[in-house]
Amino acid sequence: MYALVRIFLIKIVFVYSQSDHFPDCASGPLSKFPICDQTIPSRERAADLISRMTIDEKISQMITTASAIPRLGLPQYEWWSEALHGLAFSPGVSFNGSISAATSFPMPINFGASFNMRLVHRMANIISTEARAFNNEGQAGLTFFTPTVNIFRDPRWGRGQETPGEDPFLVAEYAYALVQGLQGGEDARYLKIAADCKAYNAYDLENWNGTDRFHFNAIISDQDLVETYLPPFEKCIRDARVASIMCSYNSINGIPNCANQFELEILARESFHLDGFVVSDCGAISTIMYAHNYTSTVEETVAVALHAGTDLNCGYFYYNYTKQALEKQTIVEADIDRALERTFNILIRLGWFDPPEQQYYRQLTKDNVDTHEARQLSLESAQEGIVLLKNMNQSLPLDRNRLLNKRIALIGPTANATELMQGSYFGKAPFLIDPVTAIKALTTGKSIDVQFVYGCKINGSDESGFSAAIELARTADVVIFFGGLDQTIESETIDRVSIAMPDIQLALLQQLERVVQSPIRVVIMSGSGLDLTYVRDSPRFGSLIWMGYAGQSGGLAIANVIFGEYNPAGRLPITIYPASYVDAVSMFDMQMRPSKNNPGRTYKFYTGEAVYEFGTGLSYTTFHYSWSNDTAQRSYSISSLIENKNDAHRVLIRSFRVNVTNIGTMPGDDVILAFVKVSNTVIDGPILPIKQLFGFDRIHLGINETKEVFFPLNVEHLLIVEQDGTKWLYPGTYNVLIGQQLVYAIELYGPFIQWQSKRQFSSS
Ligand SMILES: *[C@@H]1O[C@H](CO)[C@@H](O)[C@H](O)[C@H]1NC(C)=O
Ligand SMILES: *[C@@H]1O[C@H](CO)[C@@H](O)[C@H](O)[C@H]1NC(C)=O
Ligand SMILES: *[C@@H]1O[C@H](CO)[C@@H](O)[C@H](O)[C@H]1NC(C)=O
Ligand SMILES: *[C@@H]1O[C@H](CO)[C@@H](O)[C@H](O)[C@H]1NC(C)=O
Ligand SMILES: *[C@@H]1O[C@H](CO)[C@@H](O)[C@H](O)[C@H]1NC(C)=O
Ligand SMILES: *[C@@H]1O[C@H](CO)[C@@H](O)[C@H](O)[C@H]1NC(C)=O
Ligand SMILES: *[C@@H]1O[C@H](CO)[C@@H](O)[C@H](O)[C@H]1NC(C)=O
Ligand SMILES: *[C@@H]1O[C@H](CO)[C@@H](O)[C@H](O)[C@H]1NC(C)=O
Ligand SMILES: *[C@@H]1O[C@H](CO)[C@@H](O)[C@H](O)[C@H]1NC(C)=O
Ligand SMILES: *[C@@H]1O[C@H](CO)[C@@H](O)[C@H](O)[C@H]1NC(C)=O
């Protein structure tokens, strides 16, 4: 949804120049109709309103830029607002009004690295509060096309940064926490805002080797669909009860997603119980015909999309061609009504037609935006997403008292990063703190000389800045290099070709390492993995940090980590592959398991050696794990488990408990990851995951402090997905690994059983 943005921005000025952006249910024409009667169920209110519209009026409501219907007193409404990590530039959002900025949080990939879903929930609360304040001022809609809950399948994907990482369980937990925080809140009667889980489904390619997202046909086995691509959407729809989902540009197995009745009606609605609407990605209805050649006439295209369950069109296809489709009888009027009932039902649930006086959310104002709490949380989030990958000889943290009268050199293209740290889908931040400014601020008043030299750009071949950088490095006591990527290399429409470190940055590093007086500290900003083998292996690099794109206070966050004001605890939410990975597997290959032309994808299936594994991350302190080797049950009969099988997700086997103690010399957080690994089983079928995440937690521990953490293990975590998408429970040994250590082994015995059939894809 990229190309359309510019066109729409011009429109916004007119949309919101009128103060009347809410329907007048007090005295306008609408006030006489059931739509304004709160005692009537929302579906009936919607149906009645729609029944009063003419065909042309109905058609005008089927697109994201819906027109006003003055005759009925219905104002215009822009359905397309964005808020990936804070309110973002989009057709529905304007920063040109009484509120001029919104809190800019780190990118979703950073939240994945934080492994802290309470933090995600708190952020979502603040975003939805700010969204309501913007809406009350006429500067935003109430329907937001966020979050992105595809898994980060391939490191080349330009939009992987919009996701919290490569693991379906992590992405699902993120989707749940985020959507709950956006939609729920202080007033249970109303949706706070409407979220949208996108892009459904298996959207994870922009443009690679001549095929773009509009034309890409993802070939996916039922096994991968059930095991990997569906779970985050299922969690978002079934458990978080999201108000909408977005069908994506690509096809799956020959069917464009916005024309896929099985996915939209059977899976999303019937199986996962979607109670909301489906919106097309922007232009994705027209691509059914023009890119995928799935249909040959516009009338047929309207029909397949509408019949598949695509209710709302981002773009103009429905607007242009629905009348023709009615005339050619490829659709009937009831198809339109069904779509509009679903969309208007959400506007009603948002309180759009209800009296403002009785609604908490309608009282929010610009005073609720960019609050002290919001600033604090953005900084905390940036800190929690920072991942320390290497720290030889305690190169970090730097002790400022030992740097008096010394010189710190800050070198590299991201040292003064500002907007770069906002990643993609960003808005106008109240301020942007770059690392140079923050490091200078944290050393003021001490006689420490902090100098910055750019050295080189993110990419390219311009070495003209090298000599100044080398000169500065030679004279500095400490050198910190800031490198990484930016949106010119990874973004919407742009997949990477290489996942190596950009040549120019590596060349500069190799010259710097020859002249420095102490090992270089390296900081990488990027939304995806890049091959950092050289920095990892050379003794001339003392430390290595990955910090994603950390938002408005990213510079302060990294400065706090560098000086030990904050003890890092983030963990990689992705596998960092060697550069050769891109030659080993085609980006078109959707298969997760290894094959002749595919070394396997993600920590669950990758058979090669990662540069840094999923879950890697160090601390300045040391944690010790202990567990009681109690007499609790270790052996379970499969037939006893099936007796509780009402809901596969929550058949608890047992909860694992571990005590974590901070035995080091600094307070800090610890992220504890819990994996399960199958061994010693009779299965003669699919390749099994190497291991699988089933729980995680993040806790804070003072020095010598101990806390107990719990990880419930459900049957669902042990199910084996066969090629045909069926799920089975097998006897065997299941090892539970917590923080890399084997904590428990449990046994399942008895005959294996089929837990879930193919068509269900999910028990309910
Ligand atoms: C912002 O609003 C002001 C005042 O209404 C107007 O002059 C200006 O053109 C607007 N800018 C943009 C970018 O819309
Ligand atoms: C890219 O496409 C070209 C032409 O179709 C083909 O020859 C080449 O093998 C492809 N490259 C990769 C890496 O798939
Ligand atoms: C779609 O059809 C057009 C015209 O018939 C043709 O040029 C194009 O190659 C086709 N595209 C695909 C992806 O089949
Ligand atoms: C809709 O019609 C307008 C005006 O004819 C045209 O410019 C636009 O390209 C059409 N859009 C689609 C998606 O067909
Ligand atoms: C960072 O510094 C370089 C070199 O002085 C400059 O060209 C660039 O514009 C600066 N970037 C930002 C975001 O200020
Ligand atoms: C960096 O720039 C070079 C040319 O200067 C180009 O070949 C390469 O693809 C670029 N790398 C990235 C990651 O964009
Ligand atoms: C760590 O310290 C040892 C012993 O002082 C030294 O040989 C080594 O080069 C140091 N490594 C780094 C990366 O600082
Ligand atoms: C953790 O420590 C507490 C207090 O010493 C103890 O009661 C508890 O049993 C321990 N839990 C585990 C799992 O070892
Ligand atoms: C932590 O425990 C050690 C060993 O019992 C003790 O020497 C030390 O003083 C304790 N530190 C703190 C801050 O409590
Ligand atoms: C638990 O105790 C048993 C028997 O003492 C021992 O064999 C086993 O290795 C212990 N397991 C763990 C995880 O400590």
Side-chain angles (χ1 to χ4, degrees):
M1 38 172 104
Y2 187 73
L4 292 172
V5 172
R6 201 162 302 164
I7 306 164
F8 279 112
L9 282 178
I10 299 157
K11 281 200 138 166
I12 295 167
V13 182
F14 301 106
V15 172
Y16 292 118
S17 57
Q18 46 177 319
S19 57
D20 228 4
H21 53 274
F22 290 104
D24 179 2
C25 263
S27 58
L30 282 181
S31 61
K32 301 188 290 291
F33 304 142
I35 182 69
C36 290
D37 184 347
Q38 293 174 76
T39 64
I40 298 174
S42 59
R43 284 274 181 187
E44 287 170 35
R45 293 168 73 183
D48 183 84
L49 175 64
I50 292 151
S51 74
R52 293 173 195 280
M53 296 178 188
T54 65
I55 283 290
D56 290 329
E57 286 168 348
K58 286 179 186 177
I59 290 171
S60 75
Q61 304 302 303
M62 294 173 76
I63 56 170
T64 43
T65 305
S67 318
I69 307 179
R71 185 179 70 83
L72 294 175
L74 190 70
Q76 53 190 299
Y77 182 72
E78 173 53 65
W79 290 83
W80 179 5
S81 290
E82 297 281 355
L84 180 68
H85 54 119
L87 269 79
F89 295 114
S90 46
V93 176
S94 162
F95 293 89
N96 197 22
S98 73
I99 317 178
S100 58
T103 306
S104 176
F105 290 94
M107 285 291 279
I109 196 73
N110 294 53
F111 280 88
S114 79
F115 281 93
N116 185 350
M117 298 303 121
R118 291 179 296 274
L119 188 71
V120 170
H121 190 266
R122 286 166 67 202
M123 167 186 67
N125 258 327
I126 288 178
I127 291 174
S128 50
T129 294
E130 296 195 349
R132 276 292 185 163
F134 270 69
N135 177 255
N136 290 335
E137 294 294 321
Q139 291 181 242
L142 291 167
T143 44
F144 287 82
F145 295 169
T146 192
T148 306
V149 300
N150 304 100
I151 64 142
F152 198 157
R153 171 180 61 95
D154 188 292
R156 285 163 281 197
W157 185 27
R159 292 178 74 177
Q161 57 187 309
E162 290 179 35
T163 79
E166 71 183 24
D167 182 64
F169 176 77
L170 172 61
V171 180
E173 294 296 303
Y174 166 87
Y176 181 80
L178 193 86
V179 170
Q180 292 269 301
L182 292 176
Q183 296 193 162
E186 297 82 350
D187 185 345
R189 297 172 303 162
Y190 294 107
L191 289 169
K192 192 169 178 190
I193 62 172
D196 177 74
C197 280
K198 70 186 187 188
Y200 188 66
N201 191 352
Y203 173 84
D204 53 23
L205 177 142
E206 301 300 308
N207 191 349
W208 191 77
N209 202 29
T211 298
D212 66 20
R213 54 187 178 162
F214 308 118
H215 297 82
F216 181 53
N217 176 25
I219 305 298
I220 306 179
S221 67
D222 285 345
Q223 183 177 39
D224 285 330
L225 199 61
V226 168
E227 185 178 46
T228 300
Y229 295 104
L230 280 174
F233 287 97
E234 175 172 2
K235 184 90 179 177
C236 174
I237 297 167
R238 176 199 293 280
D239 295 342
R241 298 174 179 279
V242 76
S244 72
I245 59 172
M246 175 181 285
C247 52
S248 59
Y249 295 117
N250 58 293
S251 288
I252 294 182
N253 302 334
I255 307 177
N257 280 324
C258 294
N260 195 327
Q261 192 161 26
F262 175 71
E263 288 216 19
L264 299 178
E265 289 291 338
I266 309 292
L267 287 183
R269 289 192 189 281
E270 286 173 22
S271 190
F272 306 157
H273 309 302
L274 173 66
D275 180 20
F277 63 88
V278 177
V279 59
S280 76
D281 203 338
C282 301
I285 294 178
S286 101
T287 52
I288 293 173
M289 176 172 166
Y290 296 116
H292 294 295
N293 284 3
Y294 186 71
T295 47
S296 47
T297 67
V298 291
E299 296 84 4
E300 190 192 350
T301 308
V302 169
V304 295
L306 212 46
H307 290 153
T310 304
D311 305 305
L312 184 65
N313 177 194
C314 186
Y316 283 91
F317 203 91
Y318 278 170
Y319 185 80
N320 285 5
Y321 305 119
T322 299
K323 192 80 172 279
Q324 273 169 249
L326 270 176
E327 283 158 5
K328 287 264 170 71
Q329 298 181 350
T330 60
I331 60 164
V332 294
E333 196 170 344
D335 295 328
I336 299 174
D337 294 346
R338 182 182 75 157
L340 295 183
E341 279 169 29
R342 288 170 179 164
T343 53
F344 274 93
N345 186 44
I346 295 299
L347 272 185
I348 296 164
R349 288 172 58 199
L350 284 159
W352 203 50
F353 293 94
D354 290 354
E357 317 78 70
Q358 62 171 41
Q359 297 186 59
Y360 170 81
Y361 300 138
R362 292 282 279 272
Q363 316 310 319
L364 296 168
T365 67
K366 65 170 187 292
D367 295 341
N368 302 97
V369 177
D370 182 29
T371 60
H372 174 74
E373 187 202 354
R375 290 183 179 196
Q376 203 49 40
L377 193 71
S378 182
L379 172 62
E380 257 177 61
S381 310
Q383 289 173 168
E384 291 204 16
I386 289 175
V387 183
L388 180 64
L389 292 169
K390 171 179 180 177
N391 198 17
M392 294 295 294
N393 297 353
Q394 293 178 309
S395 292
L396 292 178
L398 298 178
D399 180 349
R400 276 163 291 185
N401 294 323
R402 290 185 170 187
L403 288 169
L404 302 182
N405 304 316
K406 303 222 161 146
R407 173 176 288 173
I408 301 179
L410 307 176
I411 296 174
T414 64
N416 65 341
T418 51
E419 269 168 27
L420 185 149
M421 291 190 296
Q422 288 190 283
S424 62
Y425 284 91
F426 57 85
K428 197 165 168 303
F431 52 81
L432 295 165
I433 307 176
D434 66 290
V436 172
T437 302
I439 288 167
K440 285 186 171 161
L442 262 61
T443 49
T444 30
K446 308 202 181 254
S447 53
I448 303 174
D449 180 23
V450 178
Q451 303 257 358
F452 160 58
V453 163
Y454 203 57
C456 66
K457 297 220 169 79
I458 294 281
N459 191 28
S461 51
D462 180 5
E463 297 191 358
S464 62
F466 276 28
S467 57
I470 290 162
E471 209 38 57
L472 175 63
R474 201 191 299 281
T475 63
D477 300 279
V478 171
V479 173
I480 310 176
F481 180 84
F482 287 85
L485 307 176
D486 66 11
Q487 301 295 311
T488 66
I489 290 181
E490 51 173 352
S491 59
E492 186 156 1
T493 73
I494 303 177
D495 289 323
R496 282 187 296 164
V497 175
S498 159
I499 58 167
M501 200 170 183
D503 289 348
I504 187 95
Q505 293 184 44
L506 191 56
L508 177 57
L509 280 176
Q510 287 171 337
Q511 299 203 22
L512 291 175
E513 69 174 329
R514 295 202 204 109
V515 303
V516 289
Q517 299 179 16
S518 68
I520 301 173
R521 282 81 172 168
V522 176
V523 175
I524 297 294
M525 296 187 188
S526 71
S528 59
L530 55 169
D531 187 344
L532 298 164
T533 305
Y534 189 81
V535 175
R536 182 192 68 185
D537 293 346
S538 166
R540 301 306 299 152
F541 298 100
S543 65
L544 173 59
I545 283 173
W546 175 84
M547 62 175 286
Y549 294 125
Q552 67 186 29
S553 289
L556 185 52
I558 189 63
N560 281 338
V561 165
I562 286 169
F563 293 120
E565 295 286 335
Y566 185 81
N567 184 354
R571 302 298 185 89
L572 285 180
I574 48 174
T575 302
I576 296 194
Y577 301 95
S580 60
Y581 185 79
V582 300
D583 304 318
V585 58
S586 161
M587 198 166 169
F588 301 139
D589 187 343
M590 301 298 288
Q591 186 176 308
M592 301 304 292
R593 287 175 166 72
S595 70
K596 194 159 104 340
N597 300 312
N598 182 342
R601 296 185 173 284
T602 78
Y603 77 91
K604 287 168 79 172
F605 298 107
Y606 178 51
T607 48
E609 200 172 317
V611 176
Y612 284 107
E613 283 178 22
F614 176 89
T616 304
L618 305 171
S619 169
Y620 295 153
T621 190
T622 309
F623 298 100
H624 175 74
Y625 293 15
S626 69
W627 54 92
S628 60
N629 193 348
D630 54 29
T631 52
Q633 193 180 354
R634 286 176 187 280
S635 201
Y636 302 83
S637 92
I638 287 175
S639 55
S640 73
L641 293 172
I642 201 168
E643 280 165 19
N644 303 322
K645 187 200 163 188
N646 296 317
D647 182 349
H649 311 263
R650 287 174 203 92
V651 178
L652 180 70
I653 296 175
R654 65 173 281 191
S655 192
F656 294 96
R657 298 180 301 143
V658 169
N659 277 339
V660 185
T661 307
N662 182 351
I663 56 168
T665 54
M666 221 175 152
D669 287 5
D670 187 31
V671 166
I672 305 104
L673 304 183
F675 295 94
V676 64
K677 188 181 164 81
V678 192
S679 72
N680 184 25
T681 143
V682 299
I683 306 160
D684 175 25
I687 297 168
L688 299 175
I690 295 164
K691 60 181 180 179
Q692 183 169 319
L693 189 69
F694 75 91
F696 55 85
D697 202 355
R698 182 175 180 127
I699 53 171
H700 183 81
L701 291 170
I703 298 166
N704 290 348
E705 193 184 353
T706 296
K707 276 184 188 153
E708 195 172 45
V709 287
F710 299 84
F711 300 104
L713 181 72
N714 295 316
V715 166
E716 208 203 10
H717 304 127
L718 305 187
L719 297 178
I720 305 239
V721 182
E722 288 279 2
Q723 268 104 340
D724 64 359
T726 54
K727 291 183 178 177
W728 301 76
L729 190 58
Y730 279 92
T733 304
Y734 295 81
N735 291 320
V736 173
L737 307 161
I738 297 178
Q740 310 289 348
Q741 299 165 68
L742 171 66
V743 175
Y744 295 92
I746 62 165
E747 304 281 341
L748 299 192
Y749 62 88
F752 65 86
I753 55 154
Q754 181 169 344
W755 195 269
Q756 190 174 295
S757 66
K758 179 176 166 62
R759 202 53 201 275
Q760 272 180 296
F761 277 133
S762 159
S763 74
S764 60

